[in-house]
Amino acid sequence: MENKKIIAVIGATGAQGSGLVHAILNDKNGEFAVRAITRNANSDKARELAKKGAEVVEADVDDKESIKKAFAGAYGAYCVTFFWDHFSPAKENQQARNMAEAAAEAGVKHVIWSTLEDTRKWIPVDDDRMPTLQEKYKVPHFDAKGESNAYFENCGVPYTLLHTSFYWENFIYFGLGPQKGADGKLAITFPMRDKKLPGIASADIGKSAYAIFKAGKEFQGKSVYIAGEHLTGAQMADSFSRALGTEVVYNDVPASVYRSFGFPGADDMGNMFQFKADCEEYYCGIRDISAVKKLNPELLNFDTWLEQNKSMIKV
Ligand SMILES: NC(=O)c1ccc[n+]([C@@H]2O[C@H](COP(=O)([O-])OP(=O)(O)OC[C@H]3O[C@@H](n4cnc5c(N)ncnc54)[C@H](OP(=O)(O)O)[C@@H]3O)[C@@H](O)[C@H]2O)c1
C-alpha cells in the first residue's frame, strides 16, 4: 500500500470524481491509491469513501494553497470544476488556474483536466444563430472550460484534456427526465431536432480517467473525447419506453423556446443543445465510441445504463 502511487481526486464525492475514486478502489491489486478531496471530511459521502479505503483530505478549489497541500506527494491529479454551483465563467477560470498551478507547485506527474469545447471556435460571438451570454460566451459552462485548457497546457505538468459529454444521470438529478405534458403523455424535451446527443454514464468518466492515468505517457499532452453512445431524442425516448414499460415520446422544441424555459441556466443549456445539434458531425465524430471502449471496456450504452438506473427515474 505504501508504495502505491497516489491519485488525488477533486470532486471526489460528486459524479465524476466518485467514479474515479471507485475505479481506483475496485482495482485492489493496481499500482494506484486514491486521495479523495472534499470540503468536508465529515460528510456522509466522505466518510463512506474513507470506509471503503480512500484517504480523505479537505481542500477547496477556491483556495490554491489548500489544493497544493492536498496534491502534495501525489503522482496524479484529477481536476474538475463546479459550474452549476455559481454560473460564473470567471470563477471557473480561476478555479482551473488554481488547480493547474497547485499541480505544478506540488510536483504532480500527470494531471487530467475535465473539460469541454470552447464552442466559440465553431460559433463565434458575432454569430447571431444564438444569443451571446454573459457578454462574451455562447455556452458559458463549455467555453470557460475550453478557455481554461491553456492553464493546464502551460503549467509544465504532463496533462490530458478529458472532454466529457452529457451524463445520462441528468435524467435523474438535473430535472431532464420524462415528464407528463398537457396531453398526458410522458416526454423528454430538448432542442436537438433529429440530431444525435452523445451521452455517458457518469461512472464511465471516472473509469476512463483511471485508464488514462494507468496508460502513463500514452495520453499525456493529448485530448481525449469520451461518450458511451450517440442517440437522437427519439431513440432515447424509445429506450425509455422499453425500460419503463410505458410510452415516452421525444418533444423537440426550438432552441429559442428552450432558452426561455426560465430555470436557472436555461439559456446556457439551450445554446449547448443547439451547438451540439448544429455541429453534430464534429461533436459526435470526435467522440469515437470504439476508441472509448478500448480505453474502458466496461463502457455502458444507454439501454444498459437505463436497466441499472430505471428505478431512480420517477415518472
Ligand atoms: N451534468 C452533465 O451532463 C455534465 C457533463 C459534462 C460536464 N459537466 C460538468 O461537470 C462539472 C461538475 O462535476 P460533477 O457533476 O462531478 O459535480 P457534482 O456531482 O456536483 O459534485 C461536485 C463535488 O465537488 C465538490 N465541490 C464543490 N465545490 C467545491 C469546491 N469549491 N472545492 C472543492 N470541492 C468542491 C463537492 O463535494 P464536497 O461537498 O464533498 O466538497 C461535490 O460533491 C460541472 O462543471 C459541469 O459543467 C457536467
Side-chain angles (χ1 to χ4, degrees):
M1 178 79 184
E2 298 83 64
N3 294 329
K4 290 198 178 203
K5 295 194 273 188
I6 295 165
I7 294 175
V9 182
I10 301 283
T13 58
Q16 297 190 27
S18 77
L20 175 55
V21 170
H22 286 96
I24 300 168
L25 290 175
N26 291 338
D27 187 11
K28 300 237 178 301
N29 299 318
E31 58 176 319
F32 295 101
V34 66
R35 182 178 295 161
I37 299 174
T38 172
R39 291 164 302 172
N40 178 9
N42 287 315
S43 71
D44 290 348
K45 283 183 180 172
R47 282 169 183 268
E48 189 65 33
L49 295 180
K51 219 160 66 186
K52 289 179 177 167
E55 177 193 1
V56 174
V57 167
E58 286 188 358
D60 190 312
V61 292
D62 289 319
D63 174 0
K64 185 177 118 181
E65 286 308 310
S66 74
I67 298 294
K68 192 173 151 183
K69 276 191 206 144
F71 284 175
Y75 162 85
Y78 186 76
C79 297
V80 55
T81 41
F82 315 102
F83 184 86
W84 301 112
D85 287 359
H86 49 73
F87 297 81
S88 163
K91 194 161 181 170
E92 193 161 39
N93 289 149
Q94 185 59 51
Q95 293 175 339
R97 184 176 180 171
N98 288 347
M99 290 186 281
E101 289 180 0
E105 290 167 27
V108 167
K109 306 288 183 270
H110 186 180
V111 65
I112 296 180
W113 163 231
S114 173
T115 190
L116 288 164
E117 280 83 351
D118 183 338
T119 64
R120 296 167 297 182
K121 289 185 190 154
W122 290 265
I123 304 183
V125 167
D126 62 6
D127 186 326
D128 56 14
R129 255 182 293 174
M130 59 177 73
T132 294
L133 304 176
Q134 302 200 40
E135 291 173 13
K136 53 178 183 164
Y137 300 98
K138 285 302 191 189
V139 185
H141 80 283
F142 268 55
D143 301 347
K145 290 182 181 65
E147 204 170 55
S148 297
N149 291 352
Y151 298 125
F152 292 88
E153 289 164 334
N154 298 323
C155 74
V157 178
Y159 65 88
T160 305
L161 305 178
L162 180 61
H163 294 69
T164 62
S165 35
F166 177 92
Y167 321 159
W168 292 318
E169 281 74 10
N170 293 333
F171 292 125
I172 305 174
Y173 304 114
F174 213 72
L176 298 187
Q179 287 180 16
K180 246 182 207 155
D183 58 1
K185 276 193 180 161
L186 282 170
I188 49 170
T189 299
F190 39 84
M192 286 291 296
R193 311 193 292 273
D194 60 349
K195 305 299 183 192
K196 289 186 169 174
L197 174 68
I200 193 164
S202 63
D204 278 324
I205 299 176
K207 287 181 184 179
S208 303
Y210 186 39
I212 290 169
F213 280 124
K214 285 203 294 186
K217 289 192 185 325
E218 187 178 347
F219 299 106
Q220 290 178 358
K222 295 194 175 133
S223 280
V224 176
Y225 297 81
I226 56 172
E229 196 171 11
H230 307 150
L231 292 169
T232 62
Q235 287 171 323
M236 281 188 261
D238 285 348
S239 290
F240 272 117
S241 301
R242 281 193 301 274
L244 302 177
T246 181
E247 192 190 15
V248 176
V249 298
Y250 168 52
N251 179 24
D252 177 39
V253 293
S256 56
V257 170
Y258 198 93
R259 282 190 281 271
S260 72
F261 276 167
F263 63 84
D267 49 1
D268 189 331
M269 296 276 289
N271 280 9
M272 173 195 79
F273 283 121
Q274 188 180 345
F275 160 70
K276 290 178 184 179
D278 287 2
C279 303
E280 181 198 38
E281 200 177 322
Y282 158 75
Y283 196 77
C284 288
I286 200 144
R287 286 164 171 76
D288 173 5
I289 306 296
S290 59
V292 187
K293 266 193 194 139
K294 250 193 233 158
L295 185 67
N296 165 24
E298 294 173 11
L299 187 73
L300 298 185
N301 63 21
F302 187 51
D303 284 334
T304 320
W305 177 85
L306 256 183
E307 206 40 52
Q308 293 177 6
N309 290 277
K310 63 184 178 189
S311 64
M312 311 267 286
I313 293 165
K314 305 289 171 230
V315 292

